[in-house]
Amino acid sequence: MTRIVLAPDSFKGTITAADAAIALAAGWASVDPDAEFVYRPMADGGEGTVAAFAAAVSGSALQPITVTGPAGGPVETSWLLLPDGTAVIDLASTSGIELLDELLPWDADTTGLGQAIAAALDHGATQIVVGIGSSASTDCGTGMLSALGARFLDVDGASVRPGACGLGDIATVDLSGLRTVPDVRVLTDVTNPLVGPRGAAAVFGPQKGLTGEEIPAVDAALARFADLLGLDASLPGTGAAGGVGGALLAWGGTLTPGASAVAELIGLREAIADADVVITGEGSYDGQSGDGKVPSFIAALAQALGAVPMLAAGRITADANTTIFTEAVSLTALAGSADRALGEPAHWLHEAGQMLARAFRS
């Protein structure tokens, strides 16, 4: 009997990691009905982090909540309570870019993330795990910290506007009302500093709508805010999620590589130790998919534990390193076009599962 661990990341915007795992397993089972499947949907701190924990940790419970989304309107979401009292929260579902109908580079903020953290603290969570991928804003976590009791004031003593537009007006940082920090683990796959040519504004600002002419002003505002906060803006990871990494570090959190932390918390190593095959995947497997991203992390772990690593990705670009996998399947290639692959991801993942099963059995 072949034992297969299914450990894909989410295919951003098209299918969750959990549903991707189910589709891959169904495809494999149609070729090898005696196979045994172990589901360990993955995340690296971005979209799907809460769902990955919910699928893998028995006894966990979703806690519904309404928060203020990145555009200022209400967002219905959930945080996850694990049996040991740990709360799992992801920025993607509270303040993420996928929640926007249009980019709001100056006005989007992270209030919703702070509200979710506050709700978990009110519930009595003993540890907070926060995934901070897929941010919509470059507010350096001011919205989040405000929801946790901090105040950011201008020269007249008034609260500044939310989002990046208020950063440059901050004259005073009042942390006297900031809630006491519990044990906070911050999951991120980003090691960028807060400011400079590799900083939050320069590297990630354009993804959130900032133009080249606007980036220097935001970078300068981030640097000034870091000084007011007493934060070393050169530290790796402080630029993650538009500066949320830095804000959580200043609050007392610990930045942790997302994929490895999720793997540890869902028992991935133990699952792979008894497996013959591990299948992972993500929406776009490209030249940026190394350095801690889910597929490369999974491939290395599988090889170390004696399992066969396989990949199913929405697309595989020419600069991607597929040599770390025994087999790699592109849904775009299977479907004949990106539009068809995006339109029916579960169908093409089922097809990919069949192909991987046949390759393993040949």
Side-chain angles (χ1 to χ4, degrees), residues 36-59:
E36 177 187 357
F37 300 101
V38 178
Y39 297 91
R40 290 293 184 272
M42 276 288 290
D44 56 16
E47 181 186 40
T49 297
V50 165
F53 280 93
V57 181
S58 178

Side-chain angles (χ1 to χ4, degrees), residues 70-266:
V75 169
E76 302 292 332
T77 186
S78 299
W79 60 275
L80 185 70
L81 181 65
L82 303 186
D84 66 356
T86 296
V88 182
I89 301 162
D90 63 44
L91 184 152
S93 66
T94 55
S95 304
I97 196 167
E98 297 292 332
L99 300 174
L100 295 177
D101 293 325
E102 60 178 340
L103 297 177
L104 299 171
W106 290 97
D107 299 316
D109 79 314
T110 54
T111 297
L113 175 62
Q115 291 170 338
I117 294 173
L121 294 176
D122 290 342
H123 193 85
T126 55
Q127 182 185 51
I128 307 288
V129 174
V130 187
I132 61 170
S134 304
S135 169
S137 67
T138 312
D139 76 340
C140 207
T142 50
M144 174 194 69
L145 292 175
S146 295
L148 291 169
R151 299 174 69 221
F152 304 106
L153 312 174
D154 63 18
V155 292
D156 298 318
S159 295
V160 302
R161 295 168 295 171
C165 65
L167 278 178
D169 297 329
I170 298 174
T172 304
V173 172
D174 179 5
L175 303 182
S176 61
L178 188 62
R179 299 188 65 155
T180 302
V181 61
D183 180 8
V184 178
R185 297 181 66 180
V186 185
L187 311 185
T188 178
D189 62 358
V190 170
T191 58
N192 299 66
L194 182 62
V195 300
R198 293 188 60 252
V203 176
F204 305 111
Q207 300 171 7
K208 298 161 188 177
L210 287 177
T211 66
E213 294 76 18
E214 293 170 330
I215 287 170
V218 177
D219 190 66
L222 289 169
R224 187 167 178 275
F225 177 63
D227 287 340
L228 291 170
L229 201 59
L231 173 68
D232 183 351
S234 68
L235 289 175
T238 51
V244 171
L248 285 167
L249 189 65
W251 189 38
T254 302
L255 302 183
T256 305
S260 61
V262 172
E264 174 192 340
L265 290 163
I266 68 173

Side-chain angles (χ1 to χ4, degrees), residues 14 43 52 63 79 87 140 144 162 178 200 206 210 216 252 270 282 317 319 346:
T14 60
Q63 309 294 316
W79 60 275
C140 207
M144 174 194 69
L178 188 62
L210 287 177
E270 292 78 7
E282 63 181 356
T317 63
D319 62 341

